[in-house]
Amino acid sequence: MQIKENYQLKSLNTFGVEARAKYFCELNSIEETQEFLKSELFLNNKFLLLGGGSNILFTQDFDGVVLKINYKGKDIISADENHVVIKAFAGETWDDFVNYCTFNNWGGVENLTSIPGNVGTCPVQNIGAYGAEVKDTIISVEVLRIEDGALLSFKNEECKFGYRNSIFKNEAKNKYIITAVIFRLDKHPKLNTTYGAVNEELEKMYLTPSIQNISKAIAVMRNNKLPNPKVNGNAGSFFKNPIISKEHLEKLLLKYPRIRYFPSEDEIKLAMLQYITNKHWF
Ligand SMILES: Cc1cc2nc3c(=O)[nH]c(=O)nc-3n(C[C@H](O)[C@H](O)[C@H](O)COP(=O)(O)OP(=O)(O)OC[C@H]3O[C@@H](n4cnc5c(N)ncnc54)[C@H](O)[C@@H]3O)c2cc1C
């Protein structure tokens, strides 16, 4: 393991912000990390965990040690005619994992195509897009407890997943390093093409709905719609769509009948963008 000093982080964050880490260390294995957690350098400095750097904004140099989590690999744990259970390590690139699943026709993550970042960070804010959230495919999240280097596992329900939220953004923040995520993918999934313009894009591309075609359509849509961090530094959306009650929506619809919303079981998600693009509605 090599410790670098005064290390430039510009290429490691999608904003492309110039910021330096007092110390920088790439961790390639869990054993190496357990050793490092006992070191003087770690114990005497504050630390920051870094994945793909696509949800982080450095406002100044980091006066501590930045730990880049690079554990690689994917293992199939079990499979039957309906499901496959896979463990993917934290340093795998999220979109490579999505491509691996869609290539094998394993459904569940196809709507999450082209989201930047790593597998190990997907549970942190419960990444979501086009009507899907990663929590619906996660069985458990494996972690290393920073305090004593113990390897533990959080079951899905223990992760307290919510809309762009989880325990890892709250009470578990900086207490655990996510080492791997266990996913359950579906060989015969219920495809979700109703959110956003997925159906329209499939039609435009002359594609019928399938795991691979949804992934292709979403890749095209995102590529057309979202700024490319390599050209314009960014970290995706800054806002969350407002969640309101059904009663609240009914009142809003009387006044603004064209309002865009996405219903779920007991609450409604409003499309935030309409506040910006259609000012006359509000
Ligand atoms: C163009 C663009 C589009 C995007 N679109 C979406 C989208 O559609 N949906 C969506 O949900 N998000 C989206 N995002 C946000 C981002 O891609 C996700 O939040 C992603 O999961 C961040 O992963 P990362 O590896 O880059 O995390 P980082 O930015 O490296 O880290 C994020 C947080 O996790 C912590 N962390 C890092 N590694 C670990 C670890 N191993 N264990 C515990 N904590 C850790 C960090 O300290 C930090 O607090 C987008 C970003 C960009 C730039």
Side-chain angles (χ1 to χ4, degrees):
M1 175 201 332
Q2 217 190 336
I3 312 288
K4 293 169 181 159
E5 287 184 44
N6 195 27
Y7 193 76
Q8 179 55 259
L9 301 167
K10 185 173 162 51
S11 65
L12 298 178
N13 71 95
T14 56
F15 270 110
V17 166
E18 293 203 8
R20 286 183 179 272
K22 187 173 179 192
Y23 301 108
F24 176 81
C25 176
E26 292 195 52
L27 294 165
N28 297 307
S29 77
I30 292 169
E31 298 70 30
E32 188 181 54
T33 310
Q34 284 168 319
E35 273 309 302
F36 185 69
L37 294 181
K38 291 188 250 169
S39 70
E40 288 293 311
L41 184 102
F42 180 75
L43 295 171
N44 294 331
N45 283 284
K46 61 178 181 173
F47 69 91
L48 174 76
L49 301 174
L50 190 62
S54 66
N55 206 17
I56 211 157
L57 173 58
F58 291 102
T59 56
Q60 55 188 14
D61 291 343
F62 187 73
D63 186 27
V65 54
V66 171
L67 306 177
K68 174 105 174 71
I69 306 301
N70 275 352
Y71 321 137
K72 298 284 184 194
K74 297 185 282 291
D75 294 329
I76 296 182
I77 293 176
S78 67
D80 60 25
E81 69 253 38
N82 294 319
H83 295 107
V84 55
V85 175
I86 307 181
K87 172 169 169 167
F89 283 87
E92 288 287 322
T93 300
W94 171 255
D95 202 41
D96 290 350
F97 176 69
V98 171
N99 290 335
Y100 167 75
C101 297
T102 54
F103 176 80
N104 284 293
N105 272 319
W106 300 330
V109 290
E110 59 280 2
N111 290 42
L112 306 176
T113 296
S114 296
I115 297 182
N118 288 357
V119 166
T121 18
C122 77
V124 174
Q125 69 152 358
N126 176 25
I127 57 170
Y130 294 97
E133 289 186 304
V134 77
K135 74 173 172 58
D136 296 324
T137 63
I138 291 179
I139 296 180
S140 59
V141 176
E142 297 194 346
V143 299
L144 201 55
R145 189 162 56 198
I146 289 171
E147 190 184 27
D148 58 2
L151 275 171
L152 306 168
S153 171
F154 283 76
K155 292 193 200 105
N156 180 304
E157 54 279 18
E158 292 170 328
C159 295
K160 301 191 185 169
F161 287 124
Y163 171 46
R164 297 300 167 275
N165 207 359
S166 80
I167 195 169
F168 304 107
K169 267 176 86 170
N170 297 293
E171 61 264 41
K173 188 175 167 68
N174 287 339
K175 294 199 175 115
Y176 303 92
I177 298 173
I178 296 171
T179 57
V181 182
I182 316 272
F183 297 92
R184 182 170 179 264
L185 299 160
D186 204 328
K187 292 186 178 172
H188 312 284
K190 194 167 167 276
L191 300 173
N192 180 355
T193 58
T194 54
Y195 204 93
V198 181
N199 266 326
E200 287 148 47
E201 190 62 37
L202 284 168
E203 276 170 29
K204 229 167 47 187
M205 294 170 74
Y206 301 105
L207 295 174
T208 50
S210 71
I211 294 169
Q212 292 181 7
N213 288 344
I214 289 173
S215 177
K216 276 186 205 156
I218 288 177
V220 168
M221 286 161 76
R222 292 185 66 107
N223 200 26
N224 291 338
K225 194 169 111 179
L226 295 173
N228 178 352
K230 287 187 184 133
V231 182
N232 294 311
N234 74 90
S237 302
F238 275 74
F239 51 78
K240 284 166 106 173
N241 289 319
I243 304 287
I244 61 167
S245 66
K246 280 187 180 157
E247 294 72 38
H248 192 163
L249 176 71
E250 277 159 22
K251 281 189 203 146
L252 283 174
L253 279 172
L254 292 174
K255 221 167 159 191
Y256 311 106
R258 291 195 304 142
I259 199 166
R260 283 174 60 223
Y261 63 94
F262 308 104
S264 67
E265 259 164 40
D266 46 6
E267 52 187 20
I268 310 290
K269 195 192 280 180
L270 288 185
M272 178 72 176
L273 221 51
Q274 61 198 331
Y275 294 112
I276 300 162
T277 54
N278 294 290
K279 281 191 191 124
H280 59 281
W281 288 352
F282 287 89

